[in-house]
Amino acid sequence: MLGYCHLRKDYRQFRTDRIHGIKKTEIPFSIEHDALETYLDKSKNIPTTKIRILVDKKIAKYLTSERKYHGFVSEKKIDNKIEMTFLSCATLEGFSRWYLMFGDYATILEPEGLKTRILELLEINKQRLL
């Protein structure tokens, strides 16, 4: 998990299996975060996958809070759609499952591997529904 380390005063990768507990504190956090790619430039050893999707504008507004967890980099308006670009640090699995929540209002532009994984998940679900 990527997070800000108060001890090191920098972003770090935290292993979730080593986290003993999480609690909300009263300590304010006012540091303005840079884009994910800024962090990734410092850590060339983290593999990323560039993902581009085209989402209906009416749905895109509902994705703003969760998109940062999937490596959101940028967006641009194209007619009544929003093209979103992500640099995903993880496998396509998490992004694929998130995409299924709104996929009927979106188009995958790249990568092809994401389309393949979505089709696999849809086939599994189809078989379970039949």
Side-chain angles (χ1 to χ4, degrees), residues 91-123:
T91 64
L92 294 177
E93 192 65 23
F95 193 95
S96 299
R97 293 173 183 280
W98 179 62
Y99 177 87
L100 284 171
M101 292 177 12
F102 58 88
D104 51 334
Y105 294 97
T107 303
I108 298 169
L109 302 174
E110 67 174 297
E112 287 298 316
L114 179 59
K115 294 177 184 179
T116 302
R117 184 59 185 146
I118 296 291
L119 287 171
E120 289 169 354
L121 291 170
L122 289 171
E123 185 59 34

Side-chain angles (χ1 to χ4, degrees), residues 1-15 39 42-43 46:
M1 176 188 321
L2 176 65
Y4 186 79
C5 177
H6 287 279
L7 179 65
R8 305 278 192 261
K9 300 196 182 332
D10 198 6
Y11 291 90
R12 294 285 192 264
Q13 289 283 343
F14 295 93
R15 286 184 44 180
Y39 172 78
K42 290 173 19 182
S43 303
I46 299 174

Side-chain angles (χ1 to χ4, degrees), residues 3-4 9 30-31 87 99 115-116 125 127-128:
Y4 186 79
K9 300 196 182 332
S30 59
I31 297 173
L87 282 178
Y99 177 87
K115 294 177 184 179
T116 302
N125 280 301
Q127 294 303 316
R128 288 189 176 174

Side-chain angles (χ1 to χ4, degrees), residues 51-64 66-67 70 72 81-84 86 94-108 114 118 122:
I51 299 170
R52 288 187 319 119
I53 60 174
L54 197 59
V55 183
D56 289 0
K57 192 182 284 187
K58 65 182 180 182
I59 297 301
K61 63 184 176 184
Y62 298 111
L63 305 179
T64 56
E66 288 190 31
R67 67 187 185 182
H70 298 283
F72 175 75
K81 299 193 183 292
I82 305 288
E83 181 183 311
M84 295 182 181
F86 299 82
F95 193 95
S96 299
R97 293 173 183 280
W98 179 62
Y99 177 87
L100 284 171
M101 292 177 12
F102 58 88
D104 51 334
Y105 294 97
T107 303
I108 298 169
L114 179 59
I118 296 291
L122 289 171

